Amino acid sequence: MTTVVGIHFKKGSKMYYFDPVGLTLTKGTSVIVETQLGTEYGVCATGLFEVEDERVVPPLRRVIRKATEYDKRTLAQVVEKEAQAMETCRRKVESHGLDMKIVEVDYSFDGNKIIFYFTADGRVDFRELVKDLASVFRTRIELRQIGVRDEARMLGGLGVCGKQFCCSSFLEEFQPVSIKMAKEQNLSLNPTKISGTCGRLMCCLKFEQSAYEHLHSITPRVDSIVQTPHGKGTVTDVSLLRGNIKVRLDSSPDTPPKVVHRTDVKILKPGRAHNEGSDQS
């Protein structure tokens, strides 16, 4: 087992493991850590805990120290520099006539590198832009093209549910999402109803899928022949989340179906399978 601390950085919700190097750290503690990009400012998402050795991706980088007041003032200056760099880069993109949108700027805490994140419909030749930016900022410049889902994560916002985007709050990794999931969750297949602000299928479809798969496994399907407290009948409709099913009784086929809970029926013959759909990430 390896003792680690989980740390979040100012962009995105992904948590990274670091070696606490004997420091006593609690959730919410600001720290200075060593990363592959240099020295960075982070916040502890957890306290110290142990994980299996195979879950640690070597090399396990270390926490240098707890953040000081000077570090916090430096971070505020970095945020100001990022805003200035954003405006400068956008002007340079326009002057170079490049078809790209600057989404975010990441100014390293030690000032040794600036990363500009952008979206574009295709490949962009930004070599001259990089040279121009390097002459202005006098530091290492990197441009990274990202997708629309990454853009939504970085910018944040509110989903149709009224809550903060899943991708910018608690989801650490993007997962493939499919139309099949929407069908199994009995959602409208209207793209405007099941797509997020980014224009892709909503991440919450994947987040909720395991719950729906479990409910499907314990709920009779439509057309199933079941035994109920009222007698034998055929399932005509299912309310998956409530667990209620409508059963047309064999003894009274012309009367409205009886509503019973799934725990009160026994499946005698399974009905048709759920709707299947081709995956579309």
Side-chain angles (χ1 to χ4, degrees):
M1 302 290 283
T2 302
T3 300
V4 299
V5 60
I7 293 178
H8 284 314
F9 295 97
K10 59 180 180 288
K11 294 182 178 66
S13 58
K14 185 173 182 178
M15 182 181 73
Y16 298 88
Y17 292 155
F18 283 84
D19 181 354
V21 198
L23 293 174
T24 300
L25 302 172
T26 58
K27 183 177 180 180
T29 302
S30 298
V31 292
I32 304 300
V33 298
E34 174 188 282
T35 74
Q36 62 181 359
L37 300 178
T39 303
E40 291 291 346
Y41 185 104
V43 177
C44 295
T46 69
L48 305 184
F49 66 104
E50 292 188 338
V51 297
E52 295 81 2
D53 293 338
E54 55 269 20
R55 291 182 57 190
V56 177
V57 179
L60 182 63
R61 299 185 182 274
R62 64 190 183 92
V63 176
I64 298 174
R65 65 177 182 275
K66 293 182 181 180
T68 63
E69 288 301 318
Y70 176 79
D71 292 325
K72 294 177 182 179
R73 290 195 297 270
T74 301
L75 179 64
Q77 295 171 0
V78 168
V79 172
E80 291 181 5
K81 290 180 180 179
E82 288 176 339
Q84 295 168 1
M86 173 78 80
E87 291 303 315
T88 300
C89 188
R90 284 174 174 170
R91 290 197 300 268
K92 294 295 183 181
V93 167
E94 185 176 352
S95 66
H96 283 273
L98 298 175
D99 186 16
M100 57 193 292
K101 175 186 174 184
I102 302 299
V103 174
E104 190 60 272
V105 178
D106 190 358
Y107 215 113
S108 68
F109 187 74
D110 55 16
N112 291 331
K113 187 175 185 179
I114 309 176
I115 302 176
F116 295 91
Y117 298 91
F118 72 94
T119 58
D121 292 335
R123 295 178 62 86
V124 178
D125 185 355
F126 49 72
R127 287 174 293 182
E128 293 302 318
L129 174 63
V130 171
K131 293 178 182 178
D132 201 354
L133 292 173
S135 66
V136 173
F137 295 106
R138 303 291 182 179
T139 190
R140 293 171 58 198
I141 301 294
E142 182 178 340
L143 271 77
R144 291 184 184 177
Q145 186 169 358
I146 61 175
V148 290
R149 297 177 83 188
D150 294 295
E151 179 183 10
R153 164 178 277 182
M154 287 183 172
L155 297 181
L158 299 180
V160 293
C161 60
K163 294 186 177 182
Q164 187 178 1
F165 293 160
C166 297
C167 59
S168 61
S169 55
F170 64 88
L171 286 183
E172 295 193 354
E173 298 284 352
F174 287 119
Q175 298 292 332
V177 187
S178 69
I179 286 292
K180 176 182 175 182
M181 296 177 185
K183 291 182 178 180
E184 290 189 341
Q185 296 174 33
N186 198 29
L187 298 175
S188 166
L189 298 186
N190 183 336
T192 61
K193 300 291 186 181
I194 57 177
S195 298
T197 304
C198 62
R200 301 291 179 86
L201 292 174
M202 293 187 293
C203 292
C204 56
L205 295 180
K206 173 64 176 179
F207 177 64
E208 297 173 353
Q209 180 63 12
S210 59
Y212 278 90
E213 289 176 351
H214 172 67
L215 292 176
H216 276 303
S217 70
I218 62 174
T219 305
R221 301 168 179 171
V222 171
D223 292 339
S224 293
I225 298 175
V226 296
Q227 183 68 44
T228 77
H230 309 286
K232 189 170 72 169
T234 303
V235 177
T236 61
D237 193 28
V238 174
S239 176
L240 198 62
L241 295 181
R242 293 180 181 274
N244 293 332
I245 60 176
K246 292 182 179 180
V247 180
R248 180 179 292 110
L249 298 176
D250 293 350
S251 59
S252 52
D254 296 329
T255 61
K258 286 284 187 181
V259 178
V260 295
H261 196 266
R262 59 173 160 246
T263 57
D264 296 328
V265 303
K266 178 181 180 181
I267 301 175
L268 302 178
K269 181 180 179 182
R272 58 183 171 83
H274 311 302
N275 289 332
E276 300 291 336
S278 58
D279 287 351
Q280 295 183 10
S281 297

